[in-house]
Amino acid sequence: MLAITLAKAFAEFLSHALETKARLTRGSWRAAWRHSTPTLAVANVPTALFLAAWQGWIVAETALLWSQVFYVILLAGLGARAGWVLDRRMGPAILGAVFSGGIGVLLAIVKYVIH
């Protein structure tokens, strides 16, 4: 996840530079880094879990399971936040959490079946 996030940030940075014909400056690198910070912050938990598995502190299956649980909780939280921001009521926030968390669970199941 961490490597994919870094590659994505670098690709976006270079594509923007090519589109605008802008030189690569220290400020543009900083702006690209700031743009990637939320994604990188979220990637730290699964990365830490898999580093713990690599060290033998936990098994890889546990790292995978907890990473998926983390992302489902994160998606549910984002759905709840979106529902709350849109209506400022508890009902839409709960529905948003259930909907986006459900999509996360579905994606985790699909990934499990594929692998």
Side-chain angles (χ1 to χ4, degrees):
M1 181 69 182
L2 184 61
I4 291 170
T5 302
L6 290 173
K8 178 185 173 292
F10 185 67
E12 286 179 6
F13 173 67
L14 286 181
S15 71
H16 177 70
L18 290 172
E19 282 177 10
T20 61
K21 306 280 191 233
R23 292 184 50 83
L24 303 177
T25 64
R26 185 175 288 169
S28 60
W29 278 103
R30 244 183 271 127
W33 183 255
R34 274 194 310 272
H35 178 71
S36 308
T37 302
T39 309
L40 287 171
V42 171
N44 285 333
V45 171
T47 301
L49 287 167
F50 282 103
L51 285 174
W54 177 63
Q55 289 294 318
W57 299 335
I58 60 174
V59 267
E61 290 79 17
T62 302
L64 179 62
L65 175 68
W66 283 105
S67 294
Q68 290 175 340
V69 167
F70 171 75
Y71 281 121
V72 167
I73 291 170
L74 182 69
L75 283 172
L78 289 173
R81 176 75 177 141
W84 180 259
V85 167
L86 290 174
D87 281 341
R88 299 275 184 214
R89 292 189 345 230
M90 191 60 73
I94 292 171
L95 287 174
V98 169
F99 179 75
S100 58
I103 289 174
V105 169
L106 182 65
L107 289 172
I109 291 169
V110 168
K111 183 175 177 159
Y112 178 77
V113 169
I114 289 173
H115 293 287

